[in-house]
Amino acid sequence: MNGSWNYILRRLLYLIPVLLGVCLLIFVLFNLVAPDPAALLLGKHATPEQILEVRQNLGLTKPLYEQYFDVVKSAFTFDFGRSWKTKQSITTMIRLRAIPSLTVSLPAFVFSTILSILFALLVAYYRGKGIDLFVRVSCIAMMSISSLAYILFFQWFFAYKMEWFEILGYEPGFPSVLPFISLPIIIWVILSLGPDIRFYRTVILDEIYQDYVRTAKAKGLSDRKVLLKHVLRNAMIPILTYTVIQLPFLLLGALLLESFFSIPGLGDMTIEALNESDFPVLKAMAILSAVAYVTFTLIQDILYTWVDPRVKLN
Amino acid sequence: MENTIKIKSRSVWSDAWDRLKRDKLAMVSLGVIIIYAVVAILSATGLLAADWDQKVGESYMAPTTEKISLLFGTDIFGYSVLRKVIHGTQIAMSVGLISTLIAIPIGISLGALAGYFGKWIDEAVVWFYTTFSSVPGIMLLMSIAFAFGKGLTTLYIALGLTSWVGLCRLIRGEVMKHKNREYVQAATAIGAGNGRKLFIHIIPNVIHLVIINASLQFQVAIKSEVILSYLGLGVTGQPSWGTMIDDAKQELAQGVWWQLAGATFAMFFVVLAFNILGDALRDALDPKLKGK
Amino acid sequence: MLLSVKDLCVDFSTQDGTMRAVNNVSFNIEEGKTVGLVGESGSGKSVTSLAIMGLIPDPPGKISQGEILYKEQDLVKFSDAEMRAIRGNDISMVFQEPMTSLNPVFTVGDQLSEVLMLHKNMSRKEAWEKSIELLNKVGIPNPKHSVGKYPHEMSGGQKQRVVIAMAIACEPRLLIADEPTTALDVTIQKQVLDLMLELQDQYQMGLLFITHDLGVIGDIADEVVVMYKSNVVEHNTTSKIFYQPQHPYTKSLLACRPSSDHNPKRLLTVSDFMDAQGNPLTPETSKMEKVEKDFGYDEEKNPVILEVNDLNLHFPIKAGLFRRTVDYTKAVNGVSFKLRKGKTLGLVGESGCGKTTLGRTILRLLDPTSGEIIYRGKNIADLPKYQLKALRSKMQIIFQDPYSSLNPRMTVAEIIMEPMILNNIKNSKKERFEHAQWLMKKVGLEPEQLSRYPHEFSGGQRQRISIARALAVDPEFIICDESVSALDVSVQAQVLNLLLDLQDEFGLTYIFISHDLSVINFIADEVAVMRQGEIVEMNTASMVYHQPEQEYTRTLLEAIPRGVPKDE
């Protein structure tokens, strides 16, 4: 027991150098490499004095180590300052925008995960047969089409032409939100099916050729029982870790989907910030998503030891 | 010594090539990729579709078989969509190639060093790639592209710098495994040094992973180009599949589908070919995984 | 008749066409009797057992002909559901690999209960109670507690006991055991064998025991079926097989296995008994002569070349928040011995006793914690890495696994010439190549095969390549680390003969590491028995084998299957 707390503590401590590294990366990209934000903000006709003033206001005249320290501070306090464009507090903006993102991404994630696992079990059961080949080929074909093409076509066909859904926009509240989010959810599910089915199929087949499966069959269990009990329970270990690590991306939302369907989520906010060169928002999103990611890798590691009795926290 | 004795011997590579040759779908895919590469080279050398910025007709002419340049119709300026697709092929293939060429040396060298030497080198490399992989792919791609400014060079750098992590991790793990294999210990026992063990013994045994990885990396880069170009971070002033799909956003409502279709299909075939070839390469080079 | 296999043929379809894995195999098993199915790898013995269980993977495998009559019913014609009712209930099976044949994510109790609930309609609670009873029966300590353990919390021998408990849970009429003890240490092997025989006696089961080791079969079987290249070549009572073998292959199997009471100069091999076409030959009797080994030595001819004094290798165990060292695993603990030129020191012990670690430490592939390794008067234990290179040409090693000890990307020529290049042996590429050709002949391979790659050779041939590589630097002594353990017995005999021939010709000195006491007895002059990192007993081979001083050595020796038919 002591060992596991030590492990969790050690993993927590390891987050510090990783987050410092992430901050360094973001600092290098935005404070060193990126074009001068003052020039971007003021346009072509700004005088050197005006530029200097803006630079001072933005804290860009501070020594570099102080600028780096500011980035680090924001990562640990979640205080990202204000947006250059809207002048709002970024933390507030993120809080408001997170809900629409999750409204789309959570159900989409749940549907796609369940569907993919079911398909993967089906093709693993019929491995080497016609249906397996068909699903595998379809997966590769689906993965080979640009996600943009899906979005454009579906939006045009199902929303514009058939008028089954709203073309774009967002109305909070249930069920008023449904016509707006249904199509993005469907597209998300379709986009995920290809890679997910392939992954789940591989992990299930990895297990099917293990010795314990032969032992289970020698007991007299049916193929279906062997697959659904023995194989699936083992395959759940990689499946669970794979799904957990996708969770932080749900928060980020689907950038392209939100932008196309004008869903006021974090993805949409990020793209707006990109178009407006709104540095603080972009930095905040990069840091936030990194923090979310490293947190979930920690959760993943802990879950791993929980679902796999062989692994002890050490 | 090759001259003294001639016995037909089969290296691991020639075995793999034989297995690959037996896979008809993989050979078709290889053919498709070669055709795309030839088109890209012809376009880059100005032999094909150099005149993409010449009007060939009215704005938004529907596809027709009357003239080759009108095969895929015209865009808003009356430019040939076919020529734009061909020029886009050049962009896509060069983005795939150059970003892969940036990612591979970083991935191999860091992965091999970390896996082989372990200790603090490993700690440092692991920290380095954990940092890179902690910022979700699309955010990092956007940040890098944004920092370096628009343009083709940015695409190469952004895609190159974001795609070495997977390979690095893979190579590190494999090198660690091979380091403890008996053939490497045998090399130590006959007096081989670190350099020899790493370069003559271990790396040739993991290099096939690079080939498999490169073929998958190539298509990821092609797909990412489309998204970055749509976000306004990619190529400007010349057509690419991404900018064409971006244009289609306004065009579909007017019933103009050919620009979207042209770019999507052009991209579909080459990405599909790389996907199939990547799978086939894995089966051929790593027969342990065969049948999965 | 409990089981009757008649003219069974199993085909596998491969890319190069159909391959027959089992050809016209017939035998019977009666209740309470044991039939041994003996053969080397690829002989078709395991496929036969899977066919009886109805577990041949289809595709690519298929029973193309024959009948498997269980209580007069043909199992081949059974439907999937009918077969499932038989499996694990009437006929059950124990597999070779106890490490992997249990599901790692379910407790032992879950896995035992499952088979009871399936075939005996027990409730979960009844099944759990019965599982505890079964664990007790197969000799698992503290069954009430063990029933809730996961497989990884048990030792290999215990896991095999659990697999056996699972197999006998429904009191089957026929038990099939496919090399059930091959992966286990010799003392554990004996315990597991005794357990199986006791259970067989108790339930009066038929037992089909599959093994490559005639020694094991002799102790337990009533009848023996010998398989060779998919065919049954001989089928008789155990004593007939052992004392009046008819087929040359059976004869060679009996002769090629070293045993503690028959110590020939060289082991006979298959090629002494039959030619490539399978025609019987008469072996030269001179080879079979029993020899008394000369355990004496001559200070002139056999000087001490290697002396190990109080050698230790301790691996730190780290724990806590800052990974501080809290304890040490003493892999090699205070080991001392002397090695004389031209002699062989046998290092024997069970898995995990530190024998392999000791071997690698002597070669400085691992760095010792403390102690001396004096090679020709010079302590090499703490020599810096760059000074070791000069020693590399004097000491070599031959590993266990013929599949991972050769670089698959190099040709045999490159493999054998590499040590010459590194140690500046021979002056030109041409001379090196000629030397490699000469070495190939010395180890019994064709020089023309130099341009081939390792995967084009069989296990025994690869081991010969490893030997050629070791010899390329003209070493003074060679450590053979379980060098014949992964090979079939007939191939093992050939490689052992080769090592002895090379020792005679080049005056080599060996440290021969093995878990197999019979092999050690055959090849070694002196034997050191290791346990938990220490040498517990060391003496001449004949003293160790005939007058062991330590209790542990005695236990080891008693556990060796005697290979004497049980009806004697």
Side-chain angles (χ1 to χ4, degrees):
Chain A
M1 202 57 223
N2 203 359
S4 52
W5 285 113
N6 271 337
Y7 174 79
I8 294 172
L9 207 59
R10 273 166 43 80
R11 280 290 278 109
L12 267 172
L13 286 178
Y14 190 64
L15 293 190
I16 295 172
V18 169
L19 282 179
L20 288 177
V22 169
C23 292
L24 187 64
L25 184 64
I26 288 163
F27 165 77
V28 168
L29 286 175
F30 285 93
N31 294 42
L32 296 182
V33 183
D36 186 359
L40 284 176
L41 282 178
L42 292 167
K44 283 176 189 155
H45 307 294
T47 63
E49 291 77 27
Q50 282 174 306
I51 287 183
L52 186 67
E53 195 193 331
V54 172
R55 285 179 63 88
Q56 266 166 350
N57 288 342
L58 297 177
L60 295 175
T61 47
K62 286 197 232 174
L64 286 176
Y65 69 88
E66 278 188 33
Q67 292 186 32
Y68 173 62
F69 184 71
D70 286 343
V71 178
V72 174
K73 206 170 73 182
S74 68
F76 286 87
T77 59
F78 285 118
D79 181 1
F80 300 107
R82 290 180 180 275
S83 155
W84 289 350
K85 186 73 189 167
T86 65
K87 309 294 180 211
Q88 268 181 300
S89 146
I90 295 176
T91 316
T92 318
M93 285 168 70
I94 289 173
R95 205 173 331 114
L96 291 174
R97 298 279 200 137
I99 296 157
S101 278
L102 288 174
T103 315
V104 175
S105 61
L106 260 184
F109 173 74
V110 172
F111 286 138
S112 69
T113 303
I114 293 172
L115 264 180
S116 310
I117 293 177
L118 288 179
F119 265 112
L121 282 170
L122 189 75
V123 296
Y125 187 76
Y126 292 106
R127 63 189 173 282
K129 303 233 167 70
I131 181 170
D132 179 28
L133 187 70
F134 174 75
V135 173
R136 269 162 65 201
V137 171
S138 312
C139 283
I140 299 188
M142 278 164 66
M143 285 161 66
S144 302
I145 300 172
S146 169
S147 48
L148 281 175
Y150 280 107
I151 301 175
L152 277 171
F153 180 79
F154 277 56
Q155 193 179 30
W156 170 75
F157 188 78
F158 293 110
Y160 178 79
K161 201 148 185 233
M162 310 300 288
E163 296 182 8
W164 291 353
F165 307 98
E166 296 290 337
I167 298 178
L168 45 79
Y170 188 80
E171 244 175 65
F174 189 85
S176 57
V177 75
L178 281 180
F180 297 98
I181 61 165
S182 301
L183 192 54
I185 289 176
I186 291 169
I187 297 176
W188 176 310
V189 171
I190 288 172
L191 283 174
S192 318
L193 279 182
D196 285 4
I197 292 175
R198 265 166 68 91
F199 176 80
Y200 295 137
R201 177 180 177 275
T202 312
V203 297
I204 292 170
L205 288 190
D206 271 344
E207 294 296 332
I208 273 183
Y209 296 102
Q210 301 290 326
D211 284 351
Y212 70 80
V213 172
R214 195 180 51 183
T215 312
K217 281 187 183 163
K219 279 180 185 174
L221 291 173
S222 66
D223 282 359
R224 209 181 51 194
K225 189 95 193 269
V226 171
L227 181 69
L228 292 181
K229 186 176 173 191
H230 288 263
V231 172
L232 189 59
R233 178 62 181 80
N234 277 279
M236 273 324 278
I237 297 164
I239 289 176
L240 197 69
T241 50
Y242 175 81
T243 45
V244 165
I245 208 62
Q246 292 184 52
L247 292 174
F249 296 94
L250 301 185
L251 191 68
L252 191 60
L255 289 165
L256 297 173
L257 279 172
E258 289 186 8
S259 151
F260 270 95
F261 289 92
S262 296
I263 291 162
L266 289 171
D268 188 46
M269 180 180 87
T270 311
I271 289 186
E272 268 173 32
L274 191 71
N275 291 334
E276 307 281 351
S277 300
D278 197 343
F279 279 35
V281 175
L282 286 177
K283 275 157 94 172
M285 284 309 293
I287 292 170
L288 183 76
S289 48
V291 171
Y293 180 83
V294 294
T295 312
F296 275 92
T297 51
L298 175 65
I299 295 173
Q300 182 192 34
D301 278 6
I302 295 169
L303 269 180
Y304 192 70
T305 61
W306 176 64
V307 291
D308 189 342
R310 283 163 297 185
V311 181
K312 290 230 177 69
L313 288 169
N314 252 325
Chain B
M1 74 185 151
E2 285 77 13
N3 308 330
T4 43
I5 292 157
K6 278 276 174 209
I7 277 196
K8 200 172 176 288
S9 66
R10 320 239 10 99
S11 79
V12 179
W13 292 109
S14 53
D15 268 1
W17 174 239
D18 279 359
R19 278 194 289 270
L20 196 64
K21 268 196 299 195
R22 241 178 273 155
D23 189 340
K24 293 210 178 63
L25 211 53
M27 292 325 278
V28 172
S29 301
L30 193 61
V32 169
I33 291 165
I34 291 171
I35 292 171
Y36 270 76
V38 169
V39 168
I41 292 168
L42 289 178
S43 160
T45 50
L47 293 172
L48 197 65
D51 48 357
W52 62 267
D53 53 353
Q54 303 292 312
K55 273 173 97 103
V56 292
E58 300 296 307
S59 177
Y60 289 146
M61 282 171 71
T64 157
T65 47
E66 281 167 25
K67 265 167 75 183
I68 292 178
S69 60
L70 293 178
L71 208 57
F72 289 177
T74 63
D75 71 356
I76 188 166
F77 304 113
Y79 297 166
S80 161
V81 172
L82 177 64
R83 288 180 188 161
K84 286 173 78 175
V85 166
I86 291 172
H87 190 82
T89 307
Q90 179 207 326
I91 305 274
M93 295 300 276
S94 71
V95 166
L97 183 68
I98 295 176
S99 67
T100 307
L101 287 182
I102 295 175
I104 284 178
I106 306 179
I108 298 184
S109 49
L110 289 183
L113 284 177
Y116 187 78
F117 289 104
K119 305 208 176 88
W120 68 269
I121 298 181
D122 187 40
E123 304 253 338
V125 170
V126 170
W127 170 80
F128 192 56
Y129 73 59
T130 311
T131 297
F132 258 82
S133 61
S134 291
V135 184
I138 184 76
M139 275 310 301
L140 184 62
L141 214 52
M142 276 169 43
S143 306
I144 295 176
F146 180 77
F148 284 87
K150 291 177 186 184
L152 207 48
T153 323
T154 298
L155 276 183
Y156 300 148
I157 296 173
L159 289 169
L161 288 186
T162 49
S163 49
W164 59 272
V165 173
L167 182 64
C168 180
R169 230 181 234 164
L170 196 66
I171 295 283
R172 170 178 172 266
E174 283 299 306
V175 170
M176 275 173 141
K177 246 190 263 166
H178 279 268
K179 188 173 75 173
N180 294 319
R181 292 262 161 93
E182 288 183 342
Y183 76 88
V184 179
Q185 299 216 11
T188 316
I190 57 170
N194 283 334
R196 189 174 184 91
K197 278 189 275 177
L198 186 57
F199 291 105
I200 308 283
H201 288 280
I202 299 177
I203 288 190
N205 277 291
V206 300
I207 204 78
H208 64 283
L209 297 171
V210 176
I211 298 171
I212 298 165
N213 191 272
S215 114
L216 297 173
Q217 191 48 53
F218 215 101
Q219 52 99 0
V220 170
I222 292 175
K223 278 155 82 178
S224 305
E225 180 273 322
V226 172
I227 291 172
L228 285 179
S229 292
Y230 164 75
L231 291 175
L233 294 168
V235 287
T236 47
Q238 49 180 326
S240 80
W241 296 341
T243 56
M244 289 171 73
I245 294 177
D246 185 25
D247 289 347
K249 201 174 156 187
Q250 274 80 43
E251 295 168 356
L252 268 188
Q254 303 167 42
V256 179
W257 49 266
W258 42 91
Q259 187 145 231
L260 175 67
T264 303
F265 277 108
M267 191 178 135
F268 172 73
F269 290 114
V270 71
V271 172
L272 185 65
F274 271 114
N275 266 320
I276 292 173
L277 185 68
D279 277 9
L281 280 171
R282 194 181 49 216
D283 288 348
L285 290 166
D286 219 348
K288 292 189 291 291
L289 301 167
K290 183 94 194 187
K292 293 195 178 169
Chain C
M1 193 58 58
L2 181 65
L3 184 86
S4 175
V5 175
K6 284 184 185 161
D7 301 322
L8 182 70
C9 293
V10 182
D11 289 337
F12 278 83
S13 51
T14 64
Q15 268 173 344
D16 309 319
T18 309
M19 189 204 75
R20 180 149 288 190
V22 172
N23 190 29
N24 279 320
V25 167
S26 305
F27 59 87
N28 299 323
I29 304 175
E30 284 174 56
E31 300 234 356
K33 295 288 182 188
T34 301
V35 173
L37 191 55
V38 184
E40 299 187 317
S41 48
S43 61
K45 58 190 194 306
S46 290
V47 176
T48 306
S49 68
L50 289 176
I52 299 169
M53 289 294 283
L55 285 177
I56 302 261
D58 177 17
K62 200 169 172 41
I63 296 178
S64 53
Q65 193 192 311
E67 293 175 329
I68 300 169
L69 299 176
Y70 172 74
K71 293 185 174 167
E72 315 306 320
Q73 295 170 291
D74 188 0
L75 297 183
V76 177
K77 296 201 180 75
F78 268 33
S79 74
D80 214 30
E82 287 171 315
M83 203 57 221
R84 281 205 302 272
I86 296 272
R87 244 183 254 146
N89 193 14
D90 289 72
I91 306 178
S92 58
M93 188 157 177
V94 176
F95 297 98
Q96 174 173 0
E97 277 301 328
M99 294 301 166
T100 52
S101 54
L102 289 169
N103 192 328
V105 298
F106 290 114
T107 61
V108 164
D110 283 334
Q111 297 186 57
L112 271 168
S113 307
E114 187 177 32
V115 66
L116 291 164
M117 284 153 65
L118 181 71
H119 293 297
K120 297 288 172 210
N121 286 323
M122 286 190 190
S123 71
R124 180 169 290 275
K125 197 165 171 296
E126 288 168 335
W128 192 263
E129 291 300 320
K130 174 82 181 169
S131 301
I132 296 172
E133 208 179 292
L134 283 165
L135 287 181
N136 192 31
K137 183 164 250 159
V138 296
I140 298 275
N142 197 356
K144 275 211 169 94
H145 173 68
S146 298
V147 75
K149 278 188 178 176
Y150 287 98
H152 73 274
E153 296 170 295
M154 294 184 150
S155 69
Q158 287 182 333
K159 275 185 228 179
Q160 200 62 314
R161 285 169 189 269
V162 171
V163 175
I164 291 170
M166 231 153 71
I168 57 146
C170 300
E171 302 181 13
R173 301 318 310 141
L174 176 67
L175 180 64
I176 302 173
D178 186 0
E179 305 254 10
T181 57
T182 307
L184 304 173
D185 276 326
V186 61
T187 48
I188 312 290
Q189 163 170 321
K190 179 156 173 53
Q191 294 165 8
V192 169
L193 279 178
D194 289 346
L195 170 71
M196 290 185 70
L197 294 181
E198 191 191 307
L199 291 167
Q200 183 198 14
D201 194 47
Q202 190 180 343
Y203 296 121
Q204 282 300 303
M205 295 180 286
L207 176 61
L208 177 63
F209 196 98
I210 296 158
T211 183
H212 67 282
D213 188 349
L214 266 173
V216 174
I217 219 79
D219 292 353
I220 60 170
D222 298 291
E223 276 178 45
V224 175
V225 177
V226 182
M227 281 188 80
Y228 178 64
K229 291 185 175 166
S230 314
N231 289 290
V232 171
V233 293
E234 190 158 359
H235 179 183
N236 219 325
T237 62
T238 309
S239 55
K240 284 259 172 61
I241 288 278
F242 271 76
Y243 298 121
Q244 293 154 28
Q246 299 299 311
H247 195 273
Y249 179 70
T250 316
K251 290 179 190 167
S252 62
L253 271 187
L254 285 163
C256 67
R257 172 104 185 114
S259 80
S260 42
D261 15 70
H262 118 116
N263 218 352
K265 212 176 204 157
R266 292 290 182 271
L267 293 164
L268 290 169
T269 62
V270 178
S271 57
D272 289 312
F273 289 92
M274 58 193 215
D275 62 17
Q277 282 73 44
N279 301 317
L281 302 171
T282 317
E284 297 165 42
T285 43
S286 65
K287 280 194 178 174
M288 299 203 302
E289 274 172 26
K290 191 173 166 169
V291 286
E292 281 307 323
K293 270 193 197 159
D294 166 26
F295 292 110
Y297 51 83
D298 176 337
E299 276 302 336
E300 287 283 296
K301 253 174 69 191
N302 313 106
V304 172
I305 56 167
L306 183 80
E307 194 176 337
V308 171
N309 289 328
D310 193 24
L311 192 68
N312 290 290
L313 176 56
H314 298 174
F315 294 110
I317 301 170
K318 293 185 176 174
L321 190 53
F322 298 103
R323 315 261 81 194
R324 265 193 294 259
T325 304
V326 291
D327 202 356
Y328 293 92
T329 310
K330 294 175 178 167
V332 176
N333 198 10
V335 168
S336 307
F337 63 84
K338 286 180 185 156
L339 186 62
R340 288 183 179 274
K341 187 169 173 56
K343 296 284 178 183
T344 301
L345 170 70
L347 213 52
V348 70
E350 298 189 285
S351 52
C353 72
K355 54 191 193 298
T356 290
T357 314
L358 174 60
R360 294 189 186 183
T361 313
I362 294 168
L363 285 186
R364 286 289 312 273
L365 295 176
L366 294 169
D367 290 329
T369 314
S370 66
E372 291 179 322
I373 305 165
I374 298 165
Y375 173 72
R376 292 216 173 257
K378 189 174 178 188
N379 184 9
I380 60 164
D382 36 45
L383 222 53
K385 284 252 146 76
Y386 63 92
Q387 287 186 16
L388 283 171
K389 213 184 155 189
L391 289 168
R392 294 287 180 220
S393 62
K394 295 291 162 205
M395 335 174 148
Q396 279 301 308
I397 181 164
I398 299 160
F399 292 97
Q400 167 174 10
D401 184 358
Y403 291 88
S404 78
S405 58
L406 301 173
N407 187 339
R409 309 275 154 152
M410 285 184 163
T411 62
V412 174
E414 288 168 333
I415 289 169
I416 299 180
M417 286 158 71
E418 189 184 21
M420 300 185 221
I421 298 168
L422 286 166
N423 295 285
N424 299 317
I425 292 166
K426 308 287 168 190
N427 298 315
S428 65
K429 197 174 174 184
K430 189 165 168 284
E431 280 181 44
R432 288 185 185 126
F433 190 73
E434 280 163 4
H435 189 52
Q437 287 179 313
W438 180 79
L439 283 166
M440 286 291 271
K441 275 186 234 153
K442 281 287 158 206
V443 298
L445 294 171
E446 300 294 324
E448 288 73 28
Q449 293 172 316
L450 272 174
S451 58
R452 299 195 164 222
Y453 286 87
H455 67 110
E456 299 172 277
F457 293 87
S458 69
Q461 288 175 320
R462 287 172 190 225
Q463 223 46 335
R464 289 170 189 268
I465 297 168
S466 293
I467 295 171
R469 171 176 61 191
L471 290 177
V473 293
D474 196 16
E476 184 156 32
F477 90 86
I478 299 181
I479 294 184
C480 303
D481 186 1
E482 300 268 15
S483 303
V484 297
S485 307
L487 306 174
D488 275 327
V489 274
S490 62
V491 181
Q492 180 178 322
Q494 295 166 4
V495 175
L496 286 172
N497 287 345
L498 173 66
L499 286 170
L500 286 175
D501 291 341
L502 294 169
Q503 182 167 42
D504 287 352
E505 187 171 352
F506 300 108
L508 293 169
T509 309
Y510 293 133
I511 294 182
F512 199 97
I513 300 171
S514 180
H515 67 283
D516 188 332
L517 290 104
S518 313
V519 168
I520 289 284
N521 179 43
F522 170 69
I523 201 159
D525 300 298
E526 253 193 313
V527 174
V529 181
M530 277 191 83
R531 189 188 195 188
Q532 293 171 354
E534 295 173 25
I535 291 182
V536 292
E537 179 161 3
M538 187 162 157
N539 213 326
T540 60
S542 75
M543 288 299 279
V544 169
Y545 280 80
H546 297 112
Q547 288 157 29
E549 284 172 4
Q550 297 293 321
E551 184 58 42
Y552 178 67
T553 314
R554 236 167 282 146
T555 321
L556 281 181
L557 288 170
E558 277 163 17
I560 308 177
R562 288 167 303 140
V564 178
K566 73 171 177 184
D567 44 6
E568 304 252 325

